[in-house]
Amino acid sequence: MSERALSLTSGEAVACAAGASTSEHLQPWLQIETYPEDDRVLVVVSGDLDIDTEQMLQSALRDALVGSVSGVDLDLGGVEFCDCSGLNVLLRMRRRALADGKTVGIRTAGASVERLLDLTHTRPLFAWTNEDAQYEDADQDLRIELLQLRQAMQTRPVIDLARGVLMATFALSAEASWKVLVTVSQRTNTKLRHVAQDLVNSVNGDPLPEPQQQQLAAAVADHSTSPAPLSGVQG
């Protein structure tokens, strides 16, 4: 399935307005609950999705994406009102997820959301099958695989350089240097590639962030019987 633009056109905006609830809409409210499920996060939304609540929804979905491994599933069965603002948040979060090699799917949706998805032809972008919890969009799966491969190719050189720095500075083995990087990444809640880049930069005189310095010393002590002085990394 070919990728559609991830924002509404003017024509779709009209359809979006028509698809929203036609009843008087005076006091928007929103309730959001999140539940970790294996490598994904389930987000249950109830209430109104419009310009008054879009920031709350966007913030909650952003946090859910960060806290998930493979992406977010949405239960929108309790959504009573939804206009273009709410739909655009979902589209933006889907684009953000794809950039991180993740997915956003809609398990269930209320009548207002269902109407918007149909009128704007965006339902397939959030397809979710209850039978096996897998997404049916082959193009989307391929895109995610390519993004993950691209990220790996981009980060591998700096990680290898960082391992070389650790091996030369602390007389670590290749395996031990990898374990040190992973340990520092986990203990400082920093992505592995960022830890590696900071370590490589330290060779040129840029000091490591204080939390990384502390955890690096501890990790080296854990994985080496004769670590070199930490000051050697700072160059």
Side-chain angles (χ1 to χ4, degrees):
M1 179 178 296
S2 61
E3 181 71 8
R4 292 176 54 83
L6 296 183
S7 61
L8 298 180
T9 65
S10 58
E12 288 174 329
V14 173
C16 185
S21 174
T22 56
S23 61
E24 187 176 7
H25 183 60
L26 297 177
Q27 297 181 333
W29 66 279
L30 189 66
Q31 179 176 332
I32 302 175
E33 298 176 340
T34 59
Y35 304 93
E37 291 189 349
D38 297 325
D39 63 342
R40 300 182 68 77
V41 173
L42 173 63
V43 179
V44 181
V45 183
S46 302
D48 305 325
L49 297 181
D50 59 13
I51 193 171
D52 293 317
T53 59
E54 63 175 324
Q55 291 302 318
M56 180 179 175
L57 176 64
Q58 182 165 296
S59 177
L61 292 183
R62 184 187 298 111
D63 291 344
L65 278 173
V66 171
S68 71
V69 175
S70 64
V72 170
D73 295 323
L74 299 171
D75 181 344
L76 306 179
V79 174
E80 300 175 358
F81 177 92
C82 184
D83 63 10
C84 293
S85 300
L87 182 55
N88 272 322
V89 169
L90 300 181
L91 293 170
R92 286 196 296 269
M93 288 300 100
R94 177 183 182 276
R95 181 171 56 190
R96 185 187 186 97
L98 287 175
D100 291 335
K102 303 178 182 181
T103 55
V104 173
I106 297 178
R107 290 190 185 182
T108 59
S112 180
V113 176
E114 291 278 4
R115 191 156 46 241
L116 288 181
L117 294 176
D118 289 338
L119 289 172
T120 58
H121 308 288
T122 52
R123 180 188 297 274
L125 300 180
F126 302 98
W128 191 91
T129 57
N130 190 45
E131 179 179 357
D132 57 5
Q134 297 295 322
Y135 292 87
E136 297 177 315
D137 190 339
D139 289 343
Q140 176 172 293
D141 292 339
L142 178 59
R143 177 190 290 263
I144 293 171
E145 183 177 348
L146 290 175
L147 282 170
Q148 292 173 335
L149 178 60
R150 183 183 304 166
Q151 290 175 348
M153 293 176 64
Q154 290 174 341
T155 59
R156 180 61 183 269
V158 70
I159 291 176
D160 286 345
L161 283 173
R163 293 176 66 186
V165 170
L166 292 174
M167 293 169 65
T169 304
F170 300 110
L172 296 174
S173 67
E175 181 180 0
S177 66
W178 170 254
K179 291 180 179 179
V180 167
L181 285 176
V182 172
T183 299
V184 174
S185 173
Q186 292 174 340
R187 291 179 179 174
T188 61
N189 194 28
T190 306
K191 289 187 177 181
L192 184 63
R193 65 178 182 272
H194 294 161
V195 172
Q197 187 63 65
D198 289 340
L199 186 60
V200 171
N201 291 343
S202 72
V203 176
N204 297 323
D206 295 337
L208 281 173
E210 183 64 27
Q212 290 188 28
Q213 290 189 40
Q214 296 175 356
Q215 294 304 329
L216 178 61
V220 169
D222 290 342
H223 298 290
S224 173
T225 57
S226 57
L230 183 59
S231 60
V233 177
Q234 303 303 316

